Amino acid sequence: AGCLSDWQVQIDYTQKDPTGSWIMPYQYYHQRMDAGGYLVDLYFNEVNYDDCCLTDEHGICNQQLCAEPFYPTGTKADSHTCMDRAKAIRDANLAWLEKQLEANKKDEPRWIIMVGHFFYGNNAGQIKKIMLKHGAQLYVCGHTHEQGYYDADHMQGIPTVLTGAGGGIEFESGGSYYGFGHIAVTKDALQIKMMDHQGNARQDVSIPHPSLAFV
């Protein structure tokens, strides 16, 4: 598969990480946290299909960066096979997500948090439609190298945390700041802080649980 096989390394390292801190069992998966009296369900999704077939250096299947000096030992794979695989993974991910959310309803998770690569685009929109259908409350993503929290009114009805690469490229080209996102989960609210590289909270937002929103 040439340099396209690198994603498998991230999955394999889940078993080999001596610290046990790296968790990526597949390209999409579900984790549940028992928070002592309520459940938090997290769904990790690929959400990278929109990059698969671009013809510039960002195109995954185009593989412009699979040669020197970027990838000296890389061998290019067949681009059409890559595109077929990307579509199959997208479709399987969406079908799996629908099935998992429906199956887990019986357990009445208090919070449903979705994670995906892309901030925008058709694939991210597909995920958000499923989130709205099943009552998920937060989308966490990257891709765009920025930092920020965006409320539901601006993000297809879903509150969104964007924390891409620490904000690096955008900062270097005139963006706001380096940083990271911090999410604290309680039974009644999600507390989101967007922190800059000097330890300051640039945004501090509380999202009440929907059952309390109009109390």
Side-chain angles (χ1 to χ4, degrees):
C3 70
L4 296 177
S5 65
D6 278 355
W7 60 267
Q8 185 63 43
V9 174
Q10 300 178 64
I11 294 173
D12 293 343
Y13 195 64
T14 298
Q15 302 299 323
K16 297 178 180 179
D17 177 16
T19 69
S21 59
W22 182 264
I23 300 174
M24 186 178 171
Y26 195 58
Q27 287 174 274
Y28 48 88
Y29 59 97
H30 166 247
Q31 280 191 295
R32 169 167 287 175
M33 297 189 299
D34 187 337
Y38 64 96
L39 300 175
V40 180
D41 277 355
L42 298 102
Y43 295 86
F44 296 82
N45 304 273
E46 175 76 4
V47 198
N48 210 20
Y49 181 73
D50 290 332
D51 250 1
C52 87
C53 307
L54 299 176
T55 57
D56 62 14
E57 69 273 12
H58 296 289
I60 296 170
C61 297
N62 193 34
Q63 305 169 81
Q64 284 193 19
L65 303 183
C66 290
E68 293 184 352
F70 307 104
Y71 201 89
T73 60
T75 302
K76 288 191 176 183
D78 180 76
S79 61
H80 296 291
T81 300
C82 171
M83 294 175 193
D84 290 343
R85 183 178 72 175
K87 183 179 184 300
I89 291 171
R90 179 202 62 185
D91 293 347
N93 188 166
L94 294 172
W96 165 86
L97 183 59
E98 282 270 20
K99 184 177 180 180
Q100 286 290 309
L101 286 164
E102 190 63 38
N104 288 333
K105 277 184 178 179
K106 66 182 186 304
D107 301 323
E108 299 182 346
R110 181 74 171 176
W111 294 102
I112 301 173
I113 299 173
M114 210 68 58
V115 181
H117 177 72
F118 253 84
F119 174 51
Y120 55 84
N122 183 63
N123 199 185
Q126 292 171 317
I127 294 291
K128 289 191 173 185
K129 285 181 181 178
I130 294 174
M131 292 178 68
L132 289 170
K133 176 181 175 181
H134 292 276
Q137 297 104 342
L138 183 69
Y139 182 58
V140 181
C141 59
H143 183 73
T144 302
H145 293 192
E146 297 180 41
Q147 297 290 117
Y149 167 78
Y150 299 84
D151 63 32
D153 291 341
H154 296 91
M155 295 304 300
Q156 298 171 279
I158 299 292
T160 298
V161 171
L162 171 61
T163 177
I169 292 177
E170 292 297 325
F171 179 83
E172 292 166 7
S173 61
S176 297
Y177 59 95
Y178 287 115
F180 61 92
H182 181 273
I183 303 171
V185 182
T186 69
K187 184 176 181 179
D188 293 336
L190 298 176
Q191 192 69 36
I192 298 167
K193 292 184 179 182
M194 303 307 299
M195 309 296 297
D196 68 18
H197 52 296
Q198 295 179 328
N200 303 308
R202 294 296 190 99
Q203 292 175 279
D204 190 343
V205 180
S206 182
I207 302 175
H209 190 269
S211 65
L212 304 173
F214 301 103
V215 173

